[in-house]
Amino acid sequence: MSKTRLVQQGEHLSGIAAQEGFANFHTIWDRPENEELRSSLHRDPHVLFPGDSLFVPDREDREESRATDASHTFQTEIRPLFLRVKLLDINGDPIAGANSNVTIDGAAAPDVASGGDGVVEQRIGRTATTAELTVHLPPADDGPPDPTWKLPVKIGSLNPVTKCSGQQARLNNMGYFAGFSVKDLEQLVWAAEEFMCDQTHARVTARPKLAAPPKEGEDDPATSQPEAETGVLDKAIRDKLKTAHGF
Amino acid sequence: MPDPLVIIDTDPTGIVATHPPRVALPILAAPVPDEQKGKNFNTARQHLIAIGCMRLPNRGFAFDSSIISPQSEGRFTKFAQLMQALRDRDEADPKRFPPCAVFGHADPTGKDDYNKTLSGRRALALYGVLTRKVEIWDELFLNSFGGDYWGTKAIQTMLSISLKSGEDPFYTGPVDGAKTSETKKLTSDAVDQWKQKRQIGSGAGLDATQRHQLFNEYMDAICHDAKGERFVLEPTDFIAKGKGGKSLKGDVQGCGEYNPIFLLSKAKEDLAAKDETLAAVRNDLYEVDRRALVFIFEHGTEVNPKKWPCPAAREGGQGCKVRFWSDADHRRKETDDDRTFGENMAFLTVDENNVITPTPIEQTGNTMACRFYQAFAQNSPCEAKLKEWVIRFKVPTFNGKTQVLSNRRYVVKAGESASSPVIRGTTDEFGVVRIPMFDEQTSMTIWLDAGRDLTPEDDNPPKDDQPVDESKFLPFVLDCGALKPRDTDNDLAAKQRLYNLGFGEHAPAAWTDNEFANALSQFRHRNNLDNASDDDVRRAIMKQHDLVGIPAPPSDDDSTNSDSSSN
């Protein structure tokens, strides 16, 4: 039976599709009932927001006719999902060719190496929620032979860039400390200005315009106001943030 | 991983401290379906995190000068201790010092460009002593800049301390730059005696080799570790590893007057501009802005000097301005009140309807123009006065009065977790302990050496080498952040203070009306307030309990010091 589902913090469409028994997240995402989410709220299917209202259609049974007393192969079209993280050093330069040990939800996954652009890529299950990368950095002249950088990752927890929490997450990920909670708007101002200065190589001449998130915080679907834009309102900053972060 | 190292060591000659630890944040990521692999990714960048600092000196450099005073010796020793402790925690083999960066500052008096150069000279002087780069000091010595003239004054300064163990100072006159014939002769004699003693000639002059030797001896005399061994850093112990070449970009920089930690009001500045005496007072008040800092960064941090935002110490301030806050001019503005960095910093308030009301930035304690620098400074005990818990210990004495527990050893566990900071110290002469605030609400335990005899002759500070048995210290558990605000109409606020002052037998939140009435009655009686009104009694409780400002001199009678201090 079709239903409307309120997105919770940490959920993304591939995970929701898996929970609802769909092989392809497009079966949900492309429904006309989800047009508002796709267009007016500018969501990415993997960057949703707590409280987003998602239409989940009925599952449709499919019948296939095959001969008995024979073996038949059925292939589903589950879309593969990846964790892709671009690794940058303290100077903002890509960390290329670094080998990383990976665990997904606590289980060891094959090692991966970053490419020339610093990106490491690991295929993950659709319901994976956490990962940890242990990046083996190139040794410094005077440093330990195998310096490592441990990166705990929360998969599916990136909120839209139109939200304070989404901006803070991107800025924090990119090395600009933007605060621990959405109440810390002053630290967000610091991080947004610092980020823009690095992006434009010029002095930032106007303080970012702000809108406060709900006092209870943004991660409660009951109070999250999915349509409201919060945090930094300047489109130029948000666009650069999205481009630089990669989502 | 070892417990966090916590050191905050302050005295009039400067500060050496660790920064509050920064909680590591997870990467919040979006997964990428195969069809978006070509365009989407998440980014993870290493953070630049300062873990400690030294401010030198607290009282500042002399006005318009970059000469490092011999009073800095104690700070260098503490800095060496901190660096050695941090080195011991390095995971590399051999262990390394964590990388440093030096920042010089000037006060807001004078022109930006002048102060940029002056602050760069202060930073270079500090870098010079830490690395024993005598050629940097020679450059400062030979190239005076405005009023920053080393010359004879620097030589007098260096010869006025004991340069080697057991050796008397060679110069005993005033450090005046040899302005009088008397001090000129004293200086000439001192130089001559020093040279003869070192068997490197005689006479009043110093050639380059002799100057270098004197600089080296002076540097060794003021910059050593706790054992007296010379404390020296290599250029590779700095954040850009000396890869900025002669400019030392990344390793050493001057912030000019862009980042003051104290600004006078406009009215006071205007008065000082018209009156020489008041200008001298202003210069004294601005001593706190004349400073140089070393920030210490996490092990393994290395920055590319080409990408480091600060211009080098010898460069102008244009590069600084790129990094200024968008409202930097307002931040640096003189306003109706004096302003101190670290106090009253909040500039955005949000009401229950989520409406943001900004406070004009110039009405807050945001005095720094450089956004990049503020990131280190705002969490640094060397730049921002951190909030503190202030606790005064008193005991009742046989005559019914109370006595402060001054000069008592204490141990504080500032938090509830196994890794909470542990701080050891001695109560001051007012019986006060000051503990930096790590959490606004926490439980702390203070063990105090309260058991010693309370006779005045026993109240001398214990000697450092005197062993103490901390297991005999009395524990006090503090429910920090639970105290209700000062409000005479609030019963719980009064009960809590009565309990802290020694009235009542169990947690005040659970007091019955009778217990509250009994405690009030005892307080009245002990403070000769039997006939006072209820309001007056409650006011007296608040006054006696809450420390406000600087503690008043100790007294054996509470009624005389009750308008001082804390909780």
Side-chain angles (χ1 to χ4, degrees):
Chain A
M1 187 144 177
S2 66
K3 62 180 175 183
T4 299
R5 175 172 170 153
L6 283 189
V7 172
Q8 305 287 317
Q9 179 65 48
E11 287 188 329
H12 54 81
L13 204 55
S14 285
I16 291 170
Q19 288 171 9
E20 299 289 349
F22 294 98
N24 187 333
F25 69 85
H26 278 290
T27 310
I28 301 174
W29 187 245
D30 295 346
R31 292 287 302 205
E33 292 87 344
N34 290 323
E35 166 68 17
E36 186 188 359
L37 204 55
R38 289 197 304 271
S39 54
S40 66
L41 294 183
H42 302 290
R43 296 288 194 268
D44 181 284
H46 293 85
V47 187
L48 299 174
F49 189 64
D52 277 349
S53 178
L54 190 69
F55 177 77
V56 181
D58 283 341
R59 271 195 298 172
E60 292 176 11
D61 293 336
R62 201 170 102 184
E63 289 186 8
E64 297 281 341
S65 300
R66 293 289 187 277
T68 55
D69 294 333
S71 161
H72 304 284
T73 302
F74 294 91
Q75 188 171 347
T76 60
E77 51 160 352
I78 290 176
R79 309 296 286 263
L81 195 64
F82 296 86
L83 175 63
R84 303 187 82 231
V85 181
K86 184 178 199 173
L87 305 172
L88 301 179
D89 68 14
I90 211 155
N91 300 300
D93 294 327
I95 301 173
N99 198 47
S100 296
N101 312 122
V102 186
T103 61
I104 307 291
D105 288 333
D111 289 356
V112 290
S114 57
D117 57 358
V119 174
V120 292
E121 183 178 298
Q122 175 65 264
R123 186 167 175 174
I124 57 175
R126 291 189 298 164
T127 55
T129 57
T130 63
E132 184 168 270
L133 302 180
T134 304
V135 184
H136 298 270
L137 300 164
D141 297 341
D142 62 343
D146 181 22
T148 56
W149 178 25
K150 277 195 190 303
L151 281 170
V153 182
K154 292 175 89 167
I155 300 166
S157 290
L158 188 70
N159 285 341
V161 78
T162 50
K163 297 290 184 180
C164 185
S165 53
Q167 296 151 17
Q168 280 183 314
R170 286 169 178 80
L171 289 162
N172 282 330
N173 288 353
M174 290 194 289
Y176 302 94
F177 179 56
F180 293 115
S181 86
V182 290
K183 294 174 187 166
D184 199 354
L185 292 172
E186 289 164 2
Q187 193 62 40
L188 177 66
V189 170
W190 177 88
E193 284 202 10
E194 195 66 359
F195 165 75
M196 279 305 276
C197 185
D198 273 341
Q199 289 290 308
T200 60
H201 305 288
R203 182 170 170 190
V204 177
T205 53
R207 193 194 283 180
K209 294 181 193 68
L210 296 170
K215 288 202 92 174
E216 294 80 11
E218 289 195 326
D219 55 1
D220 178 0
T223 60
S224 62
Q225 303 173 348
E227 71 290 349
E229 295 190 351
T230 58
V232 172
L233 297 176
D234 309 62
K235 190 170 177 305
I237 298 177
R238 297 198 311 218
D239 286 349
K240 281 211 182 294
L241 204 47
K242 205 170 162 183
T243 305
H245 185 272
F247 243 121
Chain B
M1 180 173 284
D3 289 343
L5 180 69
V6 179
I7 293 173
I8 299 179
D9 198 309
T10 308
D11 78 4
T13 63
I15 302 171
V16 172
T18 48
H19 287 192
R22 176 99 151 262
V23 177
L25 293 168
I27 299 295
L28 303 184
V32 185
D34 56 345
E35 68 205 46
Q36 291 174 227
K37 271 173 60 178
K39 65 167 188 171
N40 287 124
F41 54 87
N42 303 275
T43 299
R45 182 179 171 186
Q46 294 177 315
H47 286 235
L48 180 66
I49 297 176
I51 59 171
C53 59
M54 170 174 71
R55 185 164 99 195
L56 182 75
N58 201 24
R59 292 277 173 87
F61 288 76
F63 183 68
D64 209 3
S65 169
S66 61
I67 301 170
I68 291 181
S69 136
Q71 290 178 340
S72 310
E73 181 181 355
R75 290 304 92 192
F76 282 122
T77 305
K78 294 289 180 188
F79 179 65
Q81 278 179 298
L82 174 59
M83 288 292 282
Q84 288 165 345
L86 291 169
R87 181 187 58 191
D88 291 345
R89 288 164 175 251
D90 186 23
E91 291 169 1
D93 184 22
K95 293 182 183 301
R96 307 158 294 175
F97 286 122
C100 298
V102 183
F103 295 81
H105 298 274
D107 70 28
T109 313
K111 293 212 159 77
D112 278 358
D113 289 346
Y114 181 90
N115 279 332
K116 173 73 179 65
T117 304
L118 177 62
S119 65
R121 287 168 66 90
R122 286 179 175 147
L124 287 165
L126 180 50
Y127 178 84
V129 69
L130 289 171
T131 55
R132 300 298 192 274
K133 296 278 183 198
V134 287
E135 62 274 18
I136 291 178
W137 276 31
D138 216 29
E139 179 192 328
L140 297 169
F141 181 88
L142 294 173
N143 301 290
S144 60
F145 172 74
D148 183 20
Y149 174 72
W150 281 41
T152 310
K153 208 169 176 179
I155 300 299
Q156 288 174 330
T157 300
M158 292 176 205
L159 289 172
S160 65
I161 64 164
S162 171
L163 291 169
K164 293 198 171 172
S165 179
E167 191 174 69
D168 288 334
F170 290 91
Y171 179 74
T172 52
V175 176
D176 66 348
K179 279 187 181 156
T180 66
S181 55
E182 188 186 350
T183 54
K184 197 171 179 181
K185 181 170 186 321
L186 279 172
T187 308
S188 302
D189 291 348
V191 172
D192 179 51
Q193 284 163 21
W194 174 76
K195 282 161 68 173
Q196 290 194 43
K197 182 100 182 211
R198 301 291 183 264
Q199 299 181 329
I200 53 172
S202 61
L206 287 167
D207 63 24
T209 309
Q210 292 161 343
R211 267 199 316 274
H212 288 188
Q213 181 171 339
L214 178 59
F215 293 165
N216 243 321
E217 287 186 18
Y218 180 71
M219 289 171 172
D220 284 352
I222 63 169
C223 185
H224 54 77
D225 66 14
K227 293 176 185 163
E229 305 286 332
R230 64 199 297 264
F231 175 72
V232 184
L233 296 177
E234 297 298 324
T236 49
D237 294 325
F238 289 80
I239 197 164
K241 309 258 182 209
K243 292 179 182 173
K246 191 175 181 295
S247 77
L248 299 171
K249 187 165 161 54
D251 296 329
V252 189
Q253 38 268 306
C255 297
E257 60 177 89
Y258 300 138
N259 297 320
I261 50 176
F262 176 69
L263 280 177
L264 279 172
S265 68
K266 183 162 188 335
K268 288 178 187 169
E269 275 286 3
D270 288 347
L271 286 172
K274 293 175 194 157
D275 184 299
E276 275 187 20
T277 312
L278 291 175
V281 174
R282 174 199 61 193
N283 293 341
D284 285 348
L285 290 169
Y286 276 147
E287 274 186 336
V288 72
D289 287 330
R290 299 191 288 272
R291 65 204 194 275
L293 281 99
V294 181
F295 282 113
I296 308 165
F297 295 86
E298 287 188 323
H299 276 296
T301 306
E302 179 178 344
V303 300
N304 179 346
K306 288 182 184 155
K307 295 200 169 184
W308 184 252
C310 306
R314 298 177 184 88
E315 290 175 344
Q318 210 48 40
C320 296
K321 290 178 182 168
V322 174
R323 220 69 194 189
F324 274 12
W325 284 99
S326 56
D327 49 7
D329 294 341
H330 290 277
R331 288 172 188 254
R332 299 172 66 197
K333 209 168 170 183
E334 294 142 2
T335 57
D336 291 345
D337 299 307
D338 297 348
R339 296 194 291 138
T340 301
F341 182 75
E343 292 179 1
N344 183 31
M345 295 292 279
F347 58 87
L348 295 173
T349 51
V350 182
D351 67 16
E352 61 265 17
N353 299 316
N354 301 331
V355 174
I356 300 173
T357 309
T359 302
I361 202 81
E362 57 266 46
Q363 290 176 17
T364 70
N366 290 279
T367 54
M368 294 190 180
C370 177
R371 192 181 49 239
F372 180 71
Y373 184 81
Q374 184 163 329
F376 312 131
Q378 67 189 2
N379 293 314
S380 174
C382 292
E383 288 287 69
K385 186 170 168 49
L386 299 183
K387 285 186 185 174
E388 295 173 312
W389 301 108
V390 183
I391 303 115
R392 177 174 48 178
F393 286 97
K394 299 197 252 185
V395 290
T397 57
F398 62 92
N399 61 3
K401 305 286 186 183
T402 56
Q403 179 179 333
V404 295
L405 289 174
S406 52
N407 303 318
R408 302 296 171 125
R409 294 266 178 93
Y410 64 80
V411 181
V412 177
K413 189 160 191 290
E416 296 156 87
S417 73
S419 60
S420 297
V422 175
I423 302 166
R424 286 180 164 77
T426 307
T427 59
D428 67 13
E429 58 182 309
F430 311 113
V432 169
V433 174
R434 293 175 182 274
I435 303 156
M437 184 183 288
F438 298 97
D439 292 301
E440 300 224 348
Q441 285 207 319
T442 189
S443 174
M444 283 196 305
T445 307
I446 302 183
W447 289 268
L448 184 75
D449 186 12
R452 279 193 292 129
D453 189 2
L454 292 170
T455 55
E457 57 270 25
D458 191 49
D459 227 12
N460 296 322
K463 289 175 182 163
D464 282 344
D465 56 357
Q466 189 178 317
V468 287
D469 185 355
E470 291 178 352
S471 68
K472 290 183 179 165
F473 288 11
L474 274 183
F476 296 84
V477 178
L478 307 182
D479 192 2
C480 300
L483 189 74
K484 293 288 174 194
R486 214 179 152 115
D487 176 2
T488 51
D489 292 332
N490 185 320
D491 281 353
L492 185 55
K495 288 176 186 174
Q496 288 176 325
R497 285 165 175 80
L498 279 168
Y499 182 68
N500 288 349
L501 291 169
F503 300 92
E505 293 177 359
H506 58 90
W511 281 5
T512 62
D513 289 347
N514 268 348
E515 285 173 311
F516 186 27
N518 281 341
L520 280 170
S521 169
Q522 285 172 28
F523 179 85
R524 278 172 181 274
H525 183 64
R526 194 177 294 176
N527 291 278
N528 299 323
L529 293 168
D530 290 315
N531 298 319
S533 69
D534 282 355
D535 273 356
D536 283 347
V537 171
R538 285 178 182 238
R539 266 195 289 276
I541 293 167
M542 305 284 163
K543 205 173 173 187
Q544 196 172 118
H545 180 277
D546 293 12
L547 283 164
V548 178
I550 301 164
S555 162
D556 63 356
D557 184 344
D558 269 338
S559 63
T560 59
N561 72 343
S562 57
D563 62 346
S564 49
S565 356
S566 105
N567 49 67

